[in-house]
Amino acid sequence: MLKGGIIGCGFFAANHLAAWQLIDGAAIVAVCDQDPARARAAGAAGDGARVFDDAATMLASEALDFVDIITTAPSHRPLVELAARHRVPVICQKPFAPTLDDARAMVDACAQAGVPLMVHENFRWQSPLMAVKNIVSSGEIGEPAYARISFRHAYDIYTNQPYLKTEPQLAIMDLGIHLLDLARYFLGEATRLHCRTQRVNPAVAGEDCVTILLDHAGGAVSLVDFSFFTKLEPDPFPQTLVRIEGTKGTVELLAGYHLRVSGPGWSREEDVEPAVPAFGAKPWHNIQESVVNIQRHWIECLQNDREPATSGADNLKTIDLVFRAYESAATGRAS
Ligand SMILES: NC(=O)c1ccc[n+]([C@@H]2O[C@H](COP(=O)([O-])OP(=O)(O)OC[C@H]3O[C@@H](n4cnc5c(N)ncnc54)[C@H](O)[C@@H]3O)[C@@H](O)[C@H]2O)c1
C-alpha cells in the first residue's frame, strides 16, 4: 500500500480525497493545510489520517511514498522543492507555476532528486475526451487538419473559488491551460499561436473570454475558445466541446456528451456521458471521474516505474503555451 500525504485541503481537495478512497494500492495517511480547521476537516473525512498545519513538519515526521499538492500556484514551487528534498514523489495541481522559470526549477529539482513529478492535468483523463482521442488515433477520420476546442458558460465559478475574481490573469491560467493541453493531446505540439483576450464581466479583474489560434507541427490548425460569461440555455458547464476534421471524416463531442463521427455518406453516434462517481454529483461528474482516472494512473506509474502522461517535463510545454498566449494578447502579435 503506497502511503500518501495531501497538502492543501480547500475547495478542490474534497474531490482528490474522495477519489483516493476508490483507488486500490494507495491510502492517504496524512493531510496538511496552513488553515488548521481545514486540515482537521480533511483528516476527519480521510479515515484517520494524521493532521498537520505545516508541510515541512508533515514531511519530516511521516514516511510518505508520495505527496499530492492541492494548493494554488504561488505555493507550488516551495512545496514541490520541499518534497524533492525529502525524495518523495509529488503530484502538483495546475496551474503548475506562476512563471516558466519556476516550472523549470521544479522539474529540475525533482529530476536531480530522482523523484517522479506529475502535474494534475486532469482534462485529458475525462473519458468523453479520451473517446475523441481514440477515434483520432484509430485513423477513422484520417489525418486531422482542423480542431475546435470550446468551453463557454456562465456558471458562477467565483462562489467556490473566490480568489479567481481578483486574479489579473484569469481564464487562460485557470481554464485555458486545460484546453491548450488538450490541443497538444489531440494534434501534437503547437509551433505558433495568436491570442485575443476580452474582459466581458466588469466584476472580475482578469480576462474572462479568450480566443486562441494555434499552428501545430505537421500543418494542422486549432481554435481554442473559452468564456466565463456566455449566456445560453442549457448551460453546458463543465463540458468541453470538440470538433476535429480529418482527411476522411469528422469527430464531434457535442453538448450532452453526445459523440458523433461522420464522413461523406456515413455517420454514427454514441452517448459517452461518464458515470457519476459514488462521491460525486452532476454537473461535476465529468471532472470528478477524471480525478479518479488521473490519480489511478499516478499509482500505476509509481508501481511500474513509468513516467506519468502529464509529467512535470511534459507540462512545461503546456504552461509555455499559457505564457505565450498572454504575450500574444499583450503585443497583438503571434508568439
Ligand atoms: N484540475 C481541476 O479540474 C481543478 C479544479 C478546481 C481547482 N483546481 C486547482 O486546484 C488548486 C487549489 O484550488 P482550490 O480552489 O481548492 O483552492 P483553495 O484556496 O480552496 O484551497 C487551497 C488550500 O491550500 C492551503 N494552502 C495554501 N498554501 C499552503 C501551504 N504552503 N501549506 C499548506 N496549505 C496551504 C490553503 O489554506 C487552502 O485551504 C488551484 O491551483 C486550482 O487551479 C483544479
Side-chain angles (χ1 to χ4, degrees), residues 21 54 61 97 125 130 155 163 166 179 202 227 259 289 333:
Q21 297 197 338
D54 175 62
S61 59
W125 289 97
M130 289 159 78
Y155 184 89
Y163 57 89
T166 53
L179 308 181
S227 157
L259 186 77
E289 181 224 26
R333 290 195 295 271

Side-chain angles (χ1 to χ4, degrees), residues 124-138:
R124 56 163 103 175
W125 289 97
Q126 293 177 21
S127 56
L129 296 167
M130 289 159 78
V132 171
K133 171 70 174 178
N134 285 341
I135 284 160
V136 173
S137 302
S138 74

Side-chain angles (χ1 to χ4, degrees), residues 114-177:
V115 296
L117 165 64
M118 180 178 84
V119 178
H120 186 110
E121 177 42 76
N122 54 319
F123 269 40
R124 56 163 103 175
W125 289 97
Q126 293 177 21
S127 56
L129 296 167
M130 289 159 78
V132 171
K133 171 70 174 178
N134 285 341
I135 284 160
V136 173
S137 302
S138 74
E140 189 177 3
I141 63 161
E143 199 58 41
Y146 163 87
R148 180 179 176 200
I149 302 168
S150 185
F151 193 114
R152 310 185 77 84
H153 69 88
Y155 184 89
D156 172 22
I157 54 173
Y158 308 105
T159 296
N160 287 328
Q161 296 172 277
Y163 57 89
L164 292 177
K165 220 169 181 173
T166 53
E167 283 291 339
Q169 294 187 328
L170 172 57
I172 303 174
M173 200 51 117
D174 182 61
L175 174 72
I177 197 165

Side-chain angles (χ1 to χ4, degrees), residues 6-16 32-35 38-39 52-55 69-76 78-79 93-96 120-123 126 160-164 173-174 178 284 287 290-291:
I6 279 181
I7 305 175
C9 305
F11 161 65
F12 203 66
N15 292 313
H16 288 233
C32 170
D33 197 295
Q34 63 193 10
D35 176 336
R38 286 186 166 191
F52 296 86
D53 61 13
D54 175 62
I69 297 171
I70 322 165
T71 61
T72 49
S75 55
H76 287 174
L79 291 171
Q93 251 296 349
K94 53 60 60 173
F96 189 26
H120 186 110
E121 177 42 76
N122 54 319
F123 269 40
Q126 293 177 21
N160 287 328
Q161 296 172 277
Y163 57 89
L164 292 177
M173 200 51 117
D174 182 61
H178 291 300
W284 291 97
I287 307 285
S290 71
V291 171

